[in-house]
Amino acid sequence: MAHAAALEIRHLNKQYIVDNQPMPVLENIDLSINPGEFISVVGSSGCGKSTLLRLIIGLEKEYQGEIRVDGQPIVGTSLERGIVFQEHRLFPWLTVEQNIAVSLLNANQSSKSKHDAVHAHIEMVGLKGFENAWPGQLSGGMSQRVAIARALVSRPEILLLDEPFGALDALTRSHLQRELQTILRQEGITAIMVTHDVEEAVYLGDRIVVMEPRPGRIKRVVDVPLARPRDRGSYAFAAIKADVMADFSEVIAPPEPAPPPTHGLSPSWRFSW
Amino acid sequence: MSVISLRKLRRGTTIPALILLAWWAVYAFGITDSKLFVPPGQVLTAAATLSEAGELWPAVGQSLLRAMGGFILGAGIGLIMGVLLGMSSRTERFFSLTLHSVKQVSLFAWLPLISVWFGYEDGSKVVFIALAAFFPVVLNTLEGVGNVPRDWVDVARVSHFTPWQMFARLVLPAALPSIFNGIYLSLVFSWLATLGAEYLLGSGIGLGTLLFESRAEFKMDVVLVGLVLTGFIGFALDIIAKATERRLLRWRENTVGA
Ligand SMILES: Nc1ncnc2c1ncn2[C@@H]1O[C@H](COP(=O)(O)OP(=O)(O)OP(=O)(O)O)[C@@H](O)[C@H]1O
Ligand SMILES: [Mg+2]
């Protein structure tokens, strides 16, 4: 159904106006993404990762530079581009089932096939039996899974994911990573995923974009030339992870002084005075 | 659930029951025989007499009819205006200021104007009640419609909602809790305004008219019948409104965090 789309970002600059002052958030972003490619994006908090996704999905009108999908400049949002926001953003007045169906509302499908697709995705994210639950009755991780199903169910050409697995336990997380990978491969969907988990970035990404803050820039792009499915225990995997980690800790480490020695008390006692 | 509401009911009825007991005791033990008040039994007799004479229920019916007519008119116009004005942030800011200032004019200050325009018959009473019902609905609707979280608007835009879908599937449900606050207040105000209108505009039958006429004739038992009925009807409206709200906002009931 969906064909893989190429994404081309050229000289992209974005600023927000804060207190009447322009504040640069993204500076000179250049990135070419091949059809069907999986891009992981890592970078410290506030470096503009979510803003980058907002621009690509078409929610921001004001920016300089170009964002092209298959050569065409983007105009607003499109059903061909889907997103899992950083927060789940479910409508509290709709059930789980209805929330997922929201992204098929304007899709060109029979209601039978919509219904089937919604149920297949509820099963995939492990929420069978919760079809008629209200979002207020779900845990954070369950809500996040509904949001993932909502984005996947419409089979977009380009899928954007903003820390989609952040609120999940390790088991559900690796299950959904595998499911996501399978669907993306099968359908040939191009994906960009923001994550704080470097291991996840290496496991899923064809390339890893490392960003640095103030203003948000691409520091470097790391290739992950490993065959899939990837073995997290392999030497090559560990080497790439360590390489990216080194980048990351440079950015994060300086403001944080090393914890003082705790004179024989266990680390959990550190805050007890 | 049912246990809780039963306990709530018991807690809610304790004080009225005690007052009733004290009321009865004061007369039963001869502590007073004031003519400014009457024992509970006499109120019941008065109610029965009035009811048999065919005076009580038509009056109640007329009052309820006026209250509902005014409520539907005022709340309906308030809802429509609130939605239309709230959809644009510019009109919202402009009109909410205007409406908040107009609201400051005491409701009763409108009466002379209304009576000049609409006379002293049912027309002007309904207009007065509608005015009372209008403000809480229009202001709360305006606020609810104007404050739909941007995060949800993003979701709707990503799913390419049409303008109608934006309204029916996002704005309206998101604003519903706020709209309900307004409708609830509006219902309470409608009932208050009904009694006020019947008192101040006289003419025609109604619970308010009954109350104030019997006061003039010093029939304290009838006054108390009116008083108790007014309270009961207000109470019933309150329960109906709350039950409707719970039904329509079912999703708010079952919430882990709240
Ligand atoms: N609507 C806005 N108006 C003004 N400033 C904004 C707005 N949205 C984001 N910013 C600013 O832009 C910068 C980047 O924000 P963004 O949410 O893209 O960061 P992020 O990399 O996603 O961070 P995190 O990892 O914490 O989610 C931040 O400094 C933020 O304060
Ligand atoms: Mg973010």
Side-chain angles (χ1 to χ4, degrees):
Chain A
M1 178 176 44
H3 83 289
L7 185 69
E8 185 80 19
I9 299 171
R10 281 274 155 271
H11 310 307
L12 182 65
N13 285 276
K14 167 75 187 168
Q15 44 208 9
Y16 282 117
I17 306 294
V18 178
D19 296 332
N20 288 322
Q21 295 285 320
M23 181 187 75
V25 176
L26 290 174
E27 195 173 85
N28 217 10
I29 304 286
D30 277 301
L31 192 61
S32 292
I33 302 174
N34 300 319
E37 197 176 14
F38 193 114
I39 298 290
S40 299
V41 179
V42 297
S44 56
S45 182
C47 71
K49 305 181 295 293
S50 298
T51 307
L52 180 63
L53 296 195
R54 282 183 70 80
L55 285 162
I56 299 172
I57 198 75
L59 284 170
E60 298 282 340
K61 274 201 300 251
E62 314 268 309
Y63 61 87
Q64 297 85 48
E66 289 172 22
I67 305 171
R68 291 172 179 272
V69 172
D70 285 338
Q72 295 298 314
I74 60 157
V75 182
T77 58
S78 155
L79 288 179
E80 308 297 346
R81 274 171 278 139
I83 186 166
V84 180
F85 288 102
Q86 194 164 0
E87 320 76 29
H88 59 73
R89 301 195 186 184
L90 302 178
F91 294 148
W93 57 87
L94 297 182
T95 63
V96 165
E97 191 178 339
Q98 293 166 334
N99 262 294
I100 298 174
V102 158
S103 70
L104 288 177
L105 188 62
N106 295 314
N108 202 1
Q109 290 177 35
S110 71
S111 54
K112 166 95 172 66
S113 85
K114 286 182 186 178
H115 178 265
D116 292 348
V118 167
H119 281 264
H121 283 77
I122 288 177
E123 200 153 337
M124 186 199 85
V125 296
L127 288 176
K128 211 164 173 343
F130 287 93
E131 288 86 351
N132 297 314
W134 305 108
Q137 298 172 302
L138 305 179
S139 70
M142 289 160 93
S143 305
Q144 200 60 42
R145 280 183 273 162
V146 179
I148 293 168
R150 179 176 64 187
L152 274 175
V153 75
S154 61
R155 289 288 183 274
E157 291 176 359
I158 296 180
L159 180 64
L160 310 177
L161 305 116
D162 203 342
E163 294 184 46
F165 306 130
L168 303 181
D169 63 278
L171 221 61
T172 316
R173 186 178 199 148
S174 69
H175 163 71
L176 284 177
Q177 286 172 352
R178 261 174 287 137
E179 287 284 348
L180 177 68
Q181 194 167 339
T182 311
I183 292 177
L184 297 186
R185 295 275 124 176
Q186 265 170 14
E187 308 280 335
I189 296 172
T190 309
I192 305 174
M193 179 182 69
V194 170
T195 179
H196 277 155
D197 178 351
V198 174
E199 178 168 314
E200 180 172 271
V202 179
Y203 182 72
L204 290 172
D206 293 311
R207 282 187 289 159
I208 303 171
V209 171
V210 183
M211 293 183 64
E212 56 187 345
R214 276 177 298 262
R217 282 153 297 163
I218 295 181
K219 186 174 186 193
R220 64 180 180 133
V221 178
V222 179
D223 267 309
V224 188
L226 303 177
R228 293 168 196 269
R230 287 170 179 166
D231 175 7
R232 295 175 203 252
S234 77
Y235 176 75
F237 191 100
I240 296 173
K241 189 177 154 188
D243 180 20
V244 176
M245 278 294 217
D247 251 332
F248 227 134
S249 50
E250 246 173 62
V251 181
I252 292 174
E256 244 174 347
T262 49
H263 303 293
L265 287 175
S266 80
S268 62
W269 284 92
R270 248 196 300 155
F271 297 110
S272 62
W273 51 76
Chain B
M1 179 71 204
S2 71
V3 177
I4 292 174
S5 63
L6 211 69
R7 202 188 303 162
K8 236 182 178 157
L9 194 69
R10 205 170 58 204
R11 219 183 308 159
T13 48
T14 307
I15 287 175
L18 284 177
I19 291 174
L20 199 65
L21 191 73
W23 178 11
W24 170 81
V26 176
Y27 281 94
F29 296 113
I31 297 171
T32 182
D33 59 352
S34 166
K35 289 288 170 287
L36 297 176
F37 219 66
V38 292
Q42 199 179 326
V43 176
L44 285 180
T45 332
T49 320
L50 273 175
S51 167
E52 265 166 47
E55 278 179 48
L56 188 58
W57 302 115
V60 171
Q62 277 297 311
S63 291
L64 275 176
L65 219 59
R66 279 183 202 118
M68 286 305 111
F71 166 71
I72 290 169
L73 192 68
I77 295 175
L79 187 64
I80 292 167
M81 268 184 71
V83 165
L84 291 180
L85 301 180
M87 293 293 266
S88 142
S89 60
R90 214 173 317 149
T91 56
E92 194 222 317
R93 237 168 300 143
F94 179 68
F95 280 98
S96 98
L97 198 70
T98 313
L99 284 166
H100 273 291
S101 346
V102 177
K103 198 187 76 170
Q104 296 309 317
V105 178
S106 160
L107 210 52
F108 292 98
W110 289 96
L111 267 178
L113 209 58
I114 291 175
S115 59
V116 167
W117 287 345
F118 299 94
Y120 286 81
E121 299 307 314
D122 272 339
S124 64
K125 285 182 197 128
V126 170
V127 168
F128 177 70
I129 299 163
L131 197 65
F134 169 76
F135 283 105
V137 173
V138 75
L139 289 172
N140 279 280
T141 306
L142 208 57
E143 191 187 311
V145 169
N147 289 326
V148 178
R150 208 179 75 132
D151 280 7
W152 288 338
V153 178
D154 286 348
V155 172
R157 284 173 61 197
V158 167
S159 302
H160 247 229
F161 277 23
T162 60
W164 169 250
Q165 287 167 344
M166 278 283 184
F167 171 69
R169 287 169 185 268
L170 174 60
V171 174
L172 209 54
L176 211 53
S178 179
I179 292 176
F180 246 106
N181 274 340
I183 288 185
Y184 176 73
L185 281 176
S186 161
L187 204 57
V188 174
F189 285 10
S190 299
W191 187 233
L192 290 176
T194 303
L195 294 177
E198 288 174 351
Y199 178 47
L200 293 162
L201 296 170
S203 93
I205 60 167
L207 201 51
T209 323
L210 187 77
L211 249 168
F212 300 116
E213 276 174 2
S214 33
R215 188 203 68 125
E217 296 162 25
F218 219 69
K219 291 194 243 168
M220 288 323 278
D221 48 356
V222 179
V223 169
L224 281 169
V225 170
L227 208 73
V228 170
L229 264 176
T230 312
F232 265 119
I233 290 170
F235 191 59
L237 290 178
D238 189 292
I239 287 179
I240 293 169
K242 289 237 166 84
T244 316
E245 174 173 15
R246 257 204 305 279
R247 265 192 84 80
L248 280 177
L249 300 180
R250 211 151 76 254
W251 53 269
R252 285 217 300 192
E253 289 278 290
N254 312 301
T255 298
V256 188

Short mmCIF file of all heavy atoms in Angstrom, two decimals, chain B residues 127-163:
data_model
loop_
_atom_site.label_atom_id
_atom_site.label_comp_id
_atom_site.label_asym_id
_atom_site.label_seq_id
_atom_site.Cartn_x
_atom_site.Cartn_y
_atom_site.Cartn_z
N VAL B 127 -38.36 35.97 29.33
CA VAL B 127 -37.18 36.70 28.89
C VAL B 127 -36.23 36.94 30.07
O VAL B 127 -35.01 36.77 29.96
CB VAL B 127 -37.57 38.06 28.24
CG1 VAL B 127 -36.35 38.93 28.04
CG2 VAL B 127 -38.25 37.79 26.90
N PHE B 128 -36.80 37.31 31.20
CA PHE B 128 -35.99 37.54 32.39
C PHE B 128 -35.25 36.27 32.81
O PHE B 128 -34.05 36.29 33.09
CB PHE B 128 -36.89 38.04 33.53
CG PHE B 128 -36.16 38.24 34.82
CD1 PHE B 128 -35.25 39.28 34.98
CD2 PHE B 128 -36.39 37.38 35.89
CE1 PHE B 128 -34.58 39.45 36.18
CE2 PHE B 128 -35.73 37.55 37.09
CZ PHE B 128 -34.82 38.58 37.24
N ILE B 129 -35.98 35.16 32.83
CA ILE B 129 -35.37 33.87 33.20
C ILE B 129 -34.29 33.50 32.19
O ILE B 129 -33.21 33.03 32.55
CB ILE B 129 -36.44 32.76 33.30
CG1 ILE B 129 -37.47 33.12 34.37
CG2 ILE B 129 -35.81 31.42 33.59
CD1 ILE B 129 -38.76 32.33 34.28
N ALA B 130 -34.59 33.72 30.90
CA ALA B 130 -33.63 33.39 29.85
C ALA B 130 -32.33 34.18 30.05
O ALA B 130 -31.23 33.67 29.87
CB ALA B 130 -34.22 33.68 28.48
N LEU B 131 -32.49 35.45 30.45
CA LEU B 131 -31.32 36.29 30.68
C LEU B 131 -30.47 35.71 31.80
O LEU B 131 -29.23 35.64 31.71
CB LEU B 131 -31.77 37.71 31.03
CG LEU B 131 -30.72 38.80 30.89
CD1 LEU B 131 -30.31 38.95 29.44
CD2 LEU B 131 -31.25 40.11 31.44
N ALA B 132 -31.15 35.25 32.86
CA ALA B 132 -30.44 34.65 33.99
C ALA B 132 -29.73 33.37 33.55
O ALA B 132 -28.62 33.08 33.98
CB ALA B 132 -31.41 34.35 35.12
N ALA B 133 -30.38 32.61 32.67
CA ALA B 133 -29.83 31.33 32.23
C ALA B 133 -28.70 31.52 31.23
O ALA B 133 -27.80 30.69 31.10
CB ALA B 133 -30.93 30.47 31.61
N PHE B 134 -28.74 32.64 30.52
CA PHE B 134 -27.82 32.89 29.41
C PHE B 134 -26.35 33.04 29.86
O PHE B 134 -25.46 32.39 29.33
CB PHE B 134 -28.28 34.14 28.68
CG PHE B 134 -27.30 34.69 27.67
CD1 PHE B 134 -27.14 34.08 26.44
CD2 PHE B 134 -26.55 35.82 27.96
CE1 PHE B 134 -26.25 34.58 25.51
CE2 PHE B 134 -25.65 36.32 27.04
CZ PHE B 134 -25.50 35.71 25.82
N PHE B 135 -26.13 33.89 30.87
CA PHE B 135 -24.74 34.26 31.19
C PHE B 135 -23.84 33.09 31.61
O PHE B 135 -22.74 32.94 31.07
CB PHE B 135 -24.72 35.39 32.23
CG PHE B 135 -25.05 36.70 31.62
CD1 PHE B 135 -26.29 37.29 31.83
CD2 PHE B 135 -24.14 37.34 30.80
CE1 PHE B 135 -26.59 38.50 31.24
CE2 PHE B 135 -24.43 38.55 30.21
CZ PHE B 135 -25.67 39.14 30.42
N PRO B 136 -24.27 32.26 32.56
CA PRO B 136 -23.36 31.17 32.92
C PRO B 136 -23.03 30.26 31.74
O PRO B 136 -21.89 29.83 31.60
CB PRO B 136 -24.09 30.40 34.02
CG PRO B 136 -25.46 30.95 34.08
CD PRO B 136 -25.48 32.27 33.40
N VAL B 137 -24.00 30.00 30.86
CA VAL B 137 -23.73 29.10 29.74
C VAL B 137 -22.80 29.75 28.74
O VAL B 137 -21.81 29.15 28.31
CB VAL B 137 -25.04 28.65 29.05
CG1 VAL B 137 -24.72 27.84 27.80
CG2 VAL B 137 -25.87 27.81 29.99
N VAL B 138 -23.07 30.98 28.36
CA VAL B 138 -22.23 31.61 27.33
C VAL B 138 -20.80 31.77 27.83
O VAL B 138 -19.84 31.49 27.10
CB VAL B 138 -22.82 32.95 26.84
CG1 VAL B 138 -22.63 34.06 27.84
CG2 VAL B 138 -22.21 33.33 25.50
N LEU B 139 -20.62 32.16 29.08
CA LEU B 139 -19.26 32.40 29.58
C LEU B 139 -18.48 31.09 29.72
O LEU B 139 -17.31 31.02 29.33
CB LEU B 139 -19.32 33.13 30.92
CG LEU B 139 -19.78 34.58 30.80
CD1 LEU B 139 -20.00 35.21 32.18
CD2 LEU B 139 -18.75 35.41 30.02
N ASN B 140 -19.13 30.06 30.25
CA ASN B 140 -18.42 28.79 30.41
C ASN B 140 -18.15 28.11 29.07
O ASN B 140 -17.12 27.47 28.90
CB ASN B 140 -19.20 27.85 31.32
CG ASN B 140 -18.98 28.18 32.78
OD1 ASN B 140 -17.97 27.82 33.36
ND2 ASN B 140 -19.90 28.92 33.36
N THR B 141 -19.10 28.24 28.14
CA THR B 141 -18.88 27.65 26.82
C THR B 141 -17.71 28.35 26.12
O THR B 141 -16.82 27.71 25.55
CB THR B 141 -20.14 27.77 25.95
OG1 THR B 141 -21.23 27.20 26.65
CG2 THR B 141 -19.98 27.05 24.63
N LEU B 142 -17.72 29.68 26.21
CA LEU B 142 -16.64 30.47 25.63
C LEU B 142 -15.29 30.02 26.16
O LEU B 142 -14.34 29.81 25.42
CB LEU B 142 -16.89 31.93 26.02
CG LEU B 142 -16.37 33.02 25.11
CD1 LEU B 142 -16.93 32.86 23.73
CD2 LEU B 142 -16.76 34.38 25.68
N GLU B 143 -15.24 29.82 27.46
CA GLU B 143 -13.99 29.42 28.09
C GLU B 143 -13.58 28.01 27.64
O GLU B 143 -12.43 27.77 27.28
CB GLU B 143 -14.14 29.48 29.60
CG GLU B 143 -12.82 29.33 30.32
CD GLU B 143 -13.02 29.23 31.81
OE1 GLU B 143 -13.75 30.07 32.37
OE2 GLU B 143 -12.47 28.28 32.40
N GLY B 144 -14.56 27.09 27.66
CA GLY B 144 -14.24 25.71 27.29
C GLY B 144 -13.80 25.60 25.85
O GLY B 144 -12.81 24.94 25.54
N VAL B 145 -14.50 26.27 24.96
CA VAL B 145 -14.19 26.18 23.53
C VAL B 145 -12.86 26.87 23.23
O VAL B 145 -12.09 26.43 22.38
CB VAL B 145 -15.34 26.79 22.70
CG1 VAL B 145 -14.93 26.95 21.25
CG2 VAL B 145 -16.58 25.92 22.80
N GLY B 146 -12.59 27.95 23.97
CA GLY B 146 -11.37 28.71 23.72
C GLY B 146 -10.12 28.05 24.29
O GLY B 146 -9.01 28.42 23.93
N ASN B 147 -10.28 27.10 25.19
CA ASN B 147 -9.12 26.54 25.87
C ASN B 147 -8.87 25.07 25.54
O ASN B 147 -8.43 24.31 26.39
CB ASN B 147 -9.25 26.70 27.38
CG ASN B 147 -9.09 28.14 27.79
OD1 ASN B 147 -8.32 28.87 27.18
ND2 ASN B 147 -9.83 28.54 28.81
N VAL B 148 -9.16 24.68 24.32
CA VAL B 148 -8.85 23.31 23.93
C VAL B 148 -7.33 23.17 23.86
O VAL B 148 -6.67 23.95 23.16
CB VAL B 148 -9.48 22.96 22.57
CG1 VAL B 148 -9.10 21.55 22.15
CG2 VAL B 148 -10.98 23.11 22.64
N PRO B 149 -6.75 22.21 24.59
CA PRO B 149 -5.29 22.08 24.63
C PRO B 149 -4.69 21.92 23.23
O PRO B 149 -5.21 21.18 22.41
CB PRO B 149 -5.05 20.83 25.47
CG PRO B 149 -6.26 20.69 26.31
CD PRO B 149 -7.40 21.24 25.49
N ARG B 150 -3.58 22.61 23.01
CA ARG B 150 -2.92 22.60 21.72
C ARG B 150 -2.44 21.20 21.34
O ARG B 150 -2.42 20.82 20.17
CB ARG B 150 -1.72 23.56 21.79
CG ARG B 150 -1.34 24.17 20.46
CD ARG B 150 -0.17 25.10 20.65
NE ARG B 150 1.05 24.33 20.84
CZ ARG B 150 2.19 24.58 20.18
NH1 ARG B 150 2.25 25.60 19.35
NH2 ARG B 150 3.25 23.84 20.37
N ASP B 151 -2.05 20.43 22.36
CA ASP B 151 -1.59 19.06 22.11
C ASP B 151 -2.64 18.24 21.36
O ASP B 151 -2.31 17.46 20.47
CB ASP B 151 -1.29 18.36 23.44
CG ASP B 151 0.07 18.75 23.98
OD1 ASP B 151 0.70 19.65 23.40
OD2 ASP B 151 0.48 18.16 25.00
N TRP B 152 -3.89 18.43 21.74
CA TRP B 152 -4.95 17.67 21.09
C TRP B 152 -5.24 18.20 19.69
O TRP B 152 -5.57 17.44 18.79
CB TRP B 152 -6.23 17.71 21.94
CG TRP B 152 -6.13 16.88 23.18
CD1 TRP B 152 -5.26 15.84 23.40
CD2 TRP B 152 -6.92 17.01 24.37
NE1 TRP B 152 -5.48 15.33 24.65
CE2 TRP B 152 -6.48 16.01 25.28
CE3 TRP B 152 -7.96 17.87 24.75
CZ2 TRP B 152 -7.05 15.86 26.53
CZ3 TRP B 152 -8.51 17.70 26.00
CH2 TRP B 152 -8.06 16.71 26.89
N VAL B 153 -5.10 19.52 19.54
CA VAL B 153 -5.31 20.10 18.21
C VAL B 153 -4.27 19.52 17.25
O VAL B 153 -4.59 19.20 16.10
CB VAL B 153 -5.22 21.64 18.27
CG1 VAL B 153 -5.39 22.23 16.88
CG2 VAL B 153 -6.27 22.20 19.23
N ASP B 154 -3.04 19.35 17.74
CA ASP B 154 -1.99 18.74 16.91
C ASP B 154 -2.41 17.36 16.43
O ASP B 154 -2.24 17.02 15.26
CB ASP B 154 -0.70 18.60 17.72
CG ASP B 154 0.02 19.94 17.92
OD1 ASP B 154 -0.37 20.91 17.25
OD2 ASP B 154 0.96 19.99 18.75
N VAL B 155 -2.93 16.56 17.35
CA VAL B 155 -3.36 15.20 16.99
C VAL B 155 -4.42 15.27 15.88
O VAL B 155 -4.36 14.54 14.89
CB VAL B 155 -3.92 14.45 18.21
CG1 VAL B 155 -4.55 13.12 17.79
CG2 VAL B 155 -2.83 14.22 19.25
N ALA B 156 -5.38 16.16 16.05
CA ALA B 156 -6.44 16.30 15.06
C ALA B 156 -5.88 16.75 13.71
O ALA B 156 -6.30 16.26 12.66
CB ALA B 156 -7.49 17.30 15.56
N ARG B 157 -4.92 17.65 13.75
CA ARG B 157 -4.35 18.13 12.49
C ARG B 157 -3.56 17.04 11.79
O ARG B 157 -3.61 16.90 10.57
CB ARG B 157 -3.46 19.35 12.74
CG ARG B 157 -4.29 20.62 12.99
CD ARG B 157 -3.41 21.78 13.41
NE ARG B 157 -2.43 22.14 12.41
CZ ARG B 157 -1.35 22.88 12.66
NH1 ARG B 157 -1.12 23.31 13.89
NH2 ARG B 157 -0.51 23.18 11.71
N VAL B 158 -2.83 16.23 12.57
CA VAL B 158 -2.07 15.14 11.99
C VAL B 158 -3.01 14.13 11.31
O VAL B 158 -2.68 13.55 10.28
CB VAL B 158 -1.19 14.45 13.07
CG1 VAL B 158 -0.64 13.13 12.57
CG2 VAL B 158 -0.06 15.37 13.49
N SER B 159 -4.20 13.95 11.91
CA SER B 159 -5.18 13.03 11.31
C SER B 159 -6.05 13.73 10.27
O SER B 159 -7.07 13.17 9.85
CB SER B 159 -6.06 12.41 12.39
OG SER B 159 -5.27 11.73 13.32
N HIS B 160 -5.69 14.94 9.92
CA HIS B 160 -6.36 15.69 8.86
C HIS B 160 -7.85 15.87 9.09
O HIS B 160 -8.67 15.69 8.18
CB HIS B 160 -6.14 14.98 7.51
CG HIS B 160 -5.29 15.80 6.61
ND1 HIS B 160 -5.61 16.06 5.31
CD2 HIS B 160 -4.14 16.44 6.83
CE1 HIS B 160 -4.68 16.82 4.77
NE2 HIS B 160 -3.78 17.05 5.68
N PHE B 161 -8.23 16.23 10.31
CA PHE B 161 -9.63 16.49 10.62
C PHE B 161 -10.16 17.62 9.74
O PHE B 161 -9.48 18.61 9.52
CB PHE B 161 -9.78 16.90 12.09
CG PHE B 161 -9.86 15.75 13.05
CD1 PHE B 161 -9.34 14.52 12.72
CD2 PHE B 161 -10.46 15.91 14.30
CE1 PHE B 161 -9.40 13.46 13.62
CE2 PHE B 161 -10.53 14.86 15.19
CZ PHE B 161 -9.99 13.63 14.85
N THR B 162 -11.39 17.45 9.25
CA THR B 162 -12.06 18.54 8.54
C THR B 162 -12.53 19.55 9.59
O THR B 162 -12.58 19.22 10.78
CB THR B 162 -13.30 18.02 7.80
OG1 THR B 162 -14.20 17.46 8.77
CG2 THR B 162 -12.93 16.95 6.79
N PRO B 163 -12.88 20.78 9.18
CA PRO B 163 -13.36 21.75 10.17
C PRO B 163 -14.53 21.19 11.00
O PRO B 163 -14.59 21.42 12.21
CB PRO B 163 -13.80 22.93 9.31
CG PRO B 163 -12.92 22.86 8.12
CD PRO B 163 -12.71 21.39 7.86
#
